Structures are given as structure tokens and as C-alpha cells.
């Protein structure tokens, strides 16, 4: 049983403190580094929230695509090997979708306000 607050809530609270209380009192390089720290904490918070389900989905796609079991790292390494040797390519059923889904997930964590990511989400919602 996990007590409150969660790791995600704690990280969010620290990012909010830096952004709303510390940064307004800072100038120059210190303000810049505080902004970088708050943005890094935002990424950690999103990763804590998104990664468990995203990793499970990625693993399921890789297992289906490669027809084998393994850790997420091992499956990704094997996919890279097969792409490098030409055993797998964009014409391989499921590869293009897997790469697209993986890319969107990474953007949702790293750059959720990136215009290309937002546009891709809008296009998917319309489809």
C-alpha cells in the first residue's frame, strides 16, 4: 500500500515550488537553471505517470512483432538488430505502427507541447 502523496505528486509539488516561488526571486543564470530544473521535474512526473502502461504496451507490440519473449531492453535490441540486417523493414506488418506508437509515447513524456505531436494527436482523434 502506498501512502500519499505519490512520487508523481511530490515531483509535481517541487516543480511548482521552483516555478512559482523560487524562480520569481531569481535572475540571470540562476533563473535559467531553475527553469531547467522545473522542466526536468515535469518530465520525471510525466514519466512516472505514463511509463508503466506505455512500457507494457510497447512490450506487447514487440513480442507480437518479433515472435519472442524477453525484457523490454532485449526486445528493443533484437528489433534494432533485425532492422540493421534487413530482416525487418517498414513493409513488415506492425513495424510502422509500433514505431509510431513508441514515438508518440516518448513525445508525450518529453515534449507534450511540441506542435508536431499535438498535430499528430489531432489527426488520430479525427481518424
Amino acid at each position: 500500500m502506498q501512502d500519499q502523496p505519490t512520487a508523481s505528486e511530490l515531483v509535481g509539488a517541487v516543480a511548482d515550488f521552483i516555478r512559482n516561488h523560487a524562480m520569481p526571486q531569481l535572475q540571470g543564470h540562476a533563473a535559467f537553471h531553475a527553469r531547467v530544473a522545473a522542466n526536468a521535474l515535469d518530465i520525471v512526473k510525466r514519466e512516472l505517470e505514463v511509463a508503466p502502461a506505455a512500457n507494457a504496451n510497447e512490450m506487447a507490440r514487440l513480442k507480437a512483432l518479433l515472435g519472442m519473449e524477453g525484457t523490454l531492453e532485449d526486445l528493443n535490441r533484437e528489433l534494432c538488430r533485425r532492422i540493421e540486417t534487413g530482416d525487418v523493414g517498414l513493409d513488415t506488418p506492425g513495424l510502422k505502427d509500433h514505431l509510431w506508437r513508441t514515438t508518440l509515447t516518448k513525445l508525450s513524456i518529453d515534449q507534450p507541447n511540441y506542435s508536431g505531436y499535438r498535430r499528430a494527436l489531432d489527426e488520430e482523434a479525427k481518424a
Side-chain angles (χ1 to χ4, degrees), residues 30-111:
F32 171 76
H33 288 293
R35 190 174 312 113
V36 170
N39 288 342
L41 289 169
D42 289 339
I43 291 170
V44 170
K45 181 178 185 292
R46 288 189 297 269
E47 187 166 339
L48 287 168
E49 295 168 351
V50 172
N55 289 344
N57 291 335
E58 182 179 357
M59 184 174 281
R61 289 191 311 269
L62 284 167
K63 286 178 179 180
L65 185 64
L66 300 172
M68 61 181 280
E69 296 288 321
T71 66
L72 188 56
E73 183 179 344
D74 290 340
L75 293 170
N76 273 302
R77 188 175 288 118
E78 177 63 17
L79 177 61
C80 290
R81 187 195 69 73
R82 290 186 191 184
I83 290 171
E84 184 178 17
T85 62
D87 294 337
V88 170
L90 285 179
D91 58 337
T92 301
L95 178 62
K96 188 175 178 181
D97 180 64
H98 168 71
L99 295 174
W100 182 246
R101 298 269 155 241
T102 302
T103 300
L104 288 180
T105 299
K106 290 189 182 305
L107 284 170
S108 75
I109 294 169
D110 295 340
Q111 295 291 325

Side-chain angles (χ1 to χ4, degrees), residues 5-55:
T6 65
S8 178
E9 291 168 335
L10 287 170
V11 169
V14 173
D16 287 342
F17 169 78
I18 291 170
R19 192 173 282 110
N20 299 319
H21 299 286
M23 278 178 41
Q25 299 177 38
L26 299 172
Q27 296 178 13
H29 280 83
F32 171 76
H33 288 293
R35 190 174 312 113
V36 170
N39 288 342
L41 289 169
D42 289 339
I43 291 170
V44 170
K45 181 178 185 292
R46 288 189 297 269
E47 187 166 339
L48 287 168
E49 295 168 351
V50 172
N55 289 344

